[in-house]
Amino acid sequence: LRLLKEKYPALMTADELLALHIPETDWIVPDLIPAGLSLIGGAPKVGKSYFILKLTKDILNNGGNIFYLAGEDSDGLLQSRLKQLGLSGTDLVHHRGREGPLVSPGHYLAAIDDILSIHRFDVVFLDTMQMVLPPKSKGKDDYAYYYEHLPKWAALAVKHKCAIVMVHHAKKADGRPDPNPLESILGSTAITGACDTIMVLQKSDNGQAYTLHVT
């Protein structure tokens, strides 16, 4: 065993792991968003952006700070939403994608790493996931593609001890109870496998109620 561990020092026995001090989960939003990689899924126009801003307001009110990549917003649209929700202050820093890209496609991981190295944020909201991932190479299947890139974002969250929350589209609910909302997430099961927390926002058929499924 000694020779094995000398050659592969990352190996650990069960007793060594049990004796290891591991800090409690760092919850950015209690019982909802931990430090790590999370995903918010929902059908188009279900209210994902407003939900993000509601979470933003709660986090700011509790002394947190946020970087928000509003990839589908213009200056006017995001300003309108901030006014509607009474959001202001210097602890919310954002980029509006309709005014121009933050960086070229495929370079968002390095850019967010650089931003977090200069100024640490408690939460990074990335709206949407597809915008920050590099283009998929021809012939690569969805499973391999997402499992190549999403763990890098999870590692980035660990590196900077923050929450990275990606927004992604899901299929529209038909009004009936969904036995497995995770299956509504568009794309490969590698997406749900690579994230620590999955939230799916669904609207009822009559549009009068919302359900947030959290795994």
Side-chain angles (χ1 to χ4, degrees), residues 24 61 92 103 120 135 142 148 205:
E24 294 292 327
N61 287 342
L92 170 58
V103 290
R120 183 189 172 275
D142 281 355
E148 176 184 356
D205 206 27

Side-chain angles (χ1 to χ4, degrees), residues 4-60:
L4 181 63
K5 294 186 66 176
E6 285 178 357
K7 188 170 184 179
Y8 301 99
L11 296 180
M12 186 180 289
T13 67
D15 284 348
E16 288 171 330
L17 179 59
L18 290 170
L20 189 67
H21 173 70
I22 299 176
E24 294 292 327
T25 299
D26 182 12
W27 291 99
I28 308 301
V29 177
D31 299 323
L32 188 63
I33 299 179
L37 180 63
S38 297
L39 181 136
I40 296 174
K45 306 304 180 185
V46 75
K48 298 185 295 295
S49 295
Y50 276 104
F51 178 57
I52 286 174
L53 290 173
K54 171 63 171 66
L55 292 174
T56 293
K57 188 170 185 176
D58 292 340
I59 294 165
L60 294 176

Side-chain angles (χ1 to χ4, degrees), residues 44-103:
K45 306 304 180 185
V46 75
K48 298 185 295 295
S49 295
Y50 276 104
F51 178 57
I52 286 174
L53 290 173
K54 171 63 171 66
L55 292 174
T56 293
K57 188 170 185 176
D58 292 340
I59 294 165
L60 294 176
N61 287 342
N62 281 284
N65 63 344
I66 292 169
F67 179 82
Y68 177 25
L69 175 66
E72 298 178 340
D73 286 0
S74 63
D75 287 348
L77 180 57
L78 185 56
Q79 184 188 80
S80 174
R81 288 174 171 171
L82 295 182
K83 288 179 177 179
Q84 288 177 40
L85 294 171
L87 277 164
S88 61
T90 59
D91 288 328
L92 170 58
V93 177
H94 45 75
H95 175 80
R96 290 82 50 226
R98 287 190 190 177
E99 305 301 333
L102 180 65
V103 290

Side-chain angles (χ1 to χ4, degrees), residues 112-215:
I112 298 300
D113 187 13
D114 188 43
I115 286 170
L116 289 169
S117 298
I118 296 170
H119 183 87
R120 183 189 172 275
F121 291 93
D122 295 299
V123 186
V124 175
F125 286 112
L126 301 173
D127 187 0
T128 63
M129 179 182 76
Q130 212 61 44
M131 177 173 289
V132 301
L133 298 184
K136 188 171 72 170
S137 58
K138 188 176 181 180
K140 176 166 283 190
D141 62 55
D142 281 355
Y143 190 90
Y145 169 73
Y146 287 115
Y147 248 128
E148 176 184 356
H149 295 290
L150 289 180
K152 296 176 184 178
W153 286 95
L156 188 65
V158 171
K159 175 183 176 181
H160 292 286
K161 297 180 174 59
C162 67
I164 294 178
V165 184
M166 294 183 169
V167 178
H168 189 49
H169 293 303
K171 293 178 288 188
K172 186 177 181 180
D174 58 9
R176 295 175 295 178
D178 193 336
N180 187 2
L182 293 184
E183 293 183 357
S184 70
I185 299 293
L186 294 176
S188 167
T189 54
I191 296 174
T192 53
C195 296
D196 300 303
T197 299
I198 307 290
M199 293 165 276
V200 179
L201 185 65
Q202 292 182 334
K203 184 160 58 172
S204 66
D205 206 27
N206 63 12
Q208 299 302 307
Y210 294 82
T211 302
L212 182 67
H213 304 271
V214 183
T215 300

